Amino acid sequence: FKGTKEIDADLLDKLEEALITSDVGAGTTEWLLNLVREALDKEELKDPKAVWGLLKDEIRHALSIKASPYDFSSDKPFVIMVVGVNGAGKTTTIGKLASQFSQDGYKIVLAAADTFRAAAVNQLEIWGRRTNSEVVKPAKEGADPSSVVFDAVKTAKETGADIVIADTAGRLHTQAPLMEELKKINRVLGKAHDTAPHEILLVLDATNGQNALQQVKEFGDALDISGIALTKLDGTAKGGVIIGICHEYKIPVRYIGIGEAKDSLRQFDVEDFVDALFV
Amino acid sequence: TLQKGFSKARQRLRGEVEIDESVIDASLRDIRLSLLEADVDLKLTRSFLDRVKEKALGEVIQISAKSKSGKRVRISAADAFVKICQDELTAMMGPVNTELEMASGNVPTGVMMVGLNGVGKTTTTGKLANLLKKKGHKPLLCAADIYRPAAIEQLQVLAGRLDVPVYADFNSKDAVGICKAAMTEARIRNCDIVLFDTAGRQTVDDTLMTELQDIKAAVKPKNIFLVADAMIGQDAVITAREFHQRLTLSGVVLTKLDGDARGGAAISIKEATGAPIKFLGMGEGMDKLEEFRPDGLASRILG
Ligand SMILES: Nc1nc2c(ncn2[C@@H]2O[C@H](COP(=O)(O)OP(=O)(O)OP(=O)(O)O)[C@@H](O)[C@H]2O)c(=O)[nH]1
Ligand SMILES: Nc1nc2c(ncn2[C@@H]2O[C@H](COP(=O)(O)OP(=O)(O)OP(=O)(O)O)[C@@H](O)[C@H]2O)c(=O)[nH]1
Ligand SMILES: [Mg+2]
Ligand SMILES: [Mg+2]
């Protein structure tokens, strides 16, 4: 169907509204709609259903980034450094990961390297108890986070732990000294264990709008972000900004958070995500 | 690209001697892009552009009429257009109303902080206590988040730093009971304000949303503030509306404005609920709370 010009315009408006209201963003929406427009001009699409189908295919394609699963067997301990802006869900996600990995039989050390925020260490300690994970704490208040992560890797090597997960303080990517602090933590992890960190996980809040793109850019400039965890997808926000992020930066979404409890972590599933996007 | 929309519109109009509808339409498209990139609600963006177009066309007719009559044109069409956008946006965010509503009689004034997970409620509770203490009040903090690990400790640490009393009960799983007890504690200690720090929650969680309604019914706070993260996207209106329908918000605090989020949610939330933006969170420190002023936020959103 080339339909009438009017039907096409109307349909494109509907597509645009669905995308924008899901936080896909104007730029990524325009890119997706242009793909649809090209297909319509070439008369490749039979009906509106085919149009929606093409849109979903393109989104699926953008989100499907090849990523090798974590290899916990060689070169222990496997070190995951968790970073992201304030309140995104880093500490909780670490608790969930620890819960998952310990159920899978792995021995875990958590590095409480948020030495800044009130009761941050207490918060991670509670997650440590819930998940049977050892928590390495700062030697004193306001300690250098780098020393905490160094101690944690050292402890893991001494105790034969399989995995180290390092919690860092929330920070805005606009704070240059704090981004430098992350780079230092990264370097120190490499000193403690020469292949570490094996994963730098950026935690993004699904409620965020277009600022998430800035977060990925700036954290990505400072560090080799190798994975994303998208939290709070149990709410009303759709997290559509992740489409443009994956399209541009090609960083795999490893996990999604769907609640506050320790079992509310899921491996990212492209199909599920795209289905939920247009509900 | 984030900053281009508005300045591009300005550029487009600057070179024009004769401004007509097609030039305005092109400029409006630039503004639309800018507003969406700033996370302004889609529906609101549409109605904003309609209002601006209506005013702009009216203005342009006036300007060209003036110049035809031989009088000096005092303001270029570009400047007129820019002013219309800024004025319209500023109007949508005001009027400025940063006062707390105080309880009458000898009852402590309640201020209830509510919002999604991780937006900055606990931190803002501390900041607000700091601000109120400096104004001569005697605030008491109430640790009503019984779910998040170390939430009570977090508030206690802030209270300690600010030297304000905090009511907490580690053994209680009843947020309503804790809030009632805090009111009693405030009376005993002669505190005139109680700041209730509630747990973060999602609006789809009926149990938790009902808990907020139960707290409100029990302690009848004069002030219920929605704390919202400046980075919030198109979900702002949905979330704000649900909190507003359940609780009737007295105001909004927008946090993390020390970042580079454009903060379009500010207008979306105000427009959707009518609740005035009272304060802005500008950092993690207890002194990083400002009283809201619309003009700074308007140009930040327009970009
Ligand atoms: N509903 C929901 N809440 C979540 C999810 N992930 C985290 N949270 C909540 O978000 C809030 C903030 O989580 P934290 O883990 O403290 O976030 P953070 O990034 O460590 O915060 P900072 O260290 O202060 O920067 C808490 O209330 C968590 O329970 C999720 O997937 N769904
Ligand atoms: N940069 C910046 N960080 C802020 C601001 N307000 C709060 N934060 C930080 O945001 C994170 C979350 O703050 P909290 O006060 O724990 O948020 P919350 O809403 O109480 O979180 P939950 O109780 O888990 O829902 C912390 O790291 C705070 O320091 C702000 O205005 N600017
Ligand atoms: Mg944390
Ligand atoms: Mg809190």
Side-chain angles (χ1 to χ4, degrees), chain A residues 84-93 96 114 117 123 167-171 231-234 257-260 264, chain B residues 117-118 148 200 202:
Chain A
V85 299
N86 305 75
K90 297 176 291 302
T91 306
T92 307
T93 298
K96 295 176 188 180
D114 177 353
R117 207 207 68 214
Q123 187 184 4
D167 191 12
T168 63
R171 67 205 65 217
T231 63
K232 307 176 198 173
L233 276 169
D234 49 311
I258 55 167
E260 302 186 67
S264 57
Chain B
N117 300 82
R148 169 175 156 153
Q202 297 297 324

Side-chain angles (χ1 to χ4, degrees), chain B residues 44 89-97 236-237 240 252 264-277 292:
Chain B
L44 180 59
L89 214 62
T90 305
M92 283 171 82
M93 279 194 289
V96 174
N97 164 11
V237 169
V252 176
I267 342 166
S268 311
I269 292 176
K270 173 75 187 8
E271 192 73 4
T273 65
I277 304 165
F292 169 67

Side-chain angles (χ1 to χ4, degrees), chain A residues 42-98:
Chain A
K42 291 188 199 150
E43 310 208 358
E44 295 173 348
L45 301 169
K46 297 272 175 285
D47 52 30
K49 195 156 166 289
V51 174
W52 282 98
L54 175 67
L55 182 67
K56 288 188 179 183
D57 283 345
E58 291 295 345
I59 292 175
R60 268 190 220 103
H61 183 71
L63 294 172
S64 302
I65 297 171
K66 263 204 150 303
S68 35
Y70 296 154
D71 176 10
F72 298 137
S73 57
S74 64
D75 200 23
K76 294 190 342 182
F78 187 94
V79 179
I80 303 173
M81 181 180 167
V82 180
V83 302
V85 299
N86 305 75
K90 297 176 291 302
T91 306
T92 307
T93 298
I94 290 171
K96 295 176 188 180
L97 286 170

Side-chain angles (χ1 to χ4, degrees), chain A residues 16-17 20-21 23 26 86-87 116-117 119 123 126 172-173 207-211 215 232 234-237 260, chain B residues 32-33 37 39 46 116-118 148-150 154 157 202 204 231-235 256 258-261 284:
Chain A
E16 187 191 45
E17 174 153 345
I20 296 281
T21 55
D23 281 322
N86 305 75
F116 174 77
R117 207 207 68 214
Q123 187 184 4
I126 293 172
L172 297 180
H173 46 281
T207 323
N208 283 180
Q210 299 311 300
N211 191 256
Q215 294 171 35
K232 307 176 198 173
D234 49 311
T236 44
E260 302 186 67
Chain B
R32 177 179 189 269
L33 185 61
E37 285 180 333
D39 295 318
R46 284 182 190 141
L116 299 175
N117 300 82
R148 169 175 156 153
Q154 186 185 1
V157 169
Q202 297 297 324
V204 292
M231 303 177 246
I232 191 171
Q234 294 291 317
D235 188 58
K256 308 179 197 170
D258 46 315
D260 57 5
E284 295 187 77

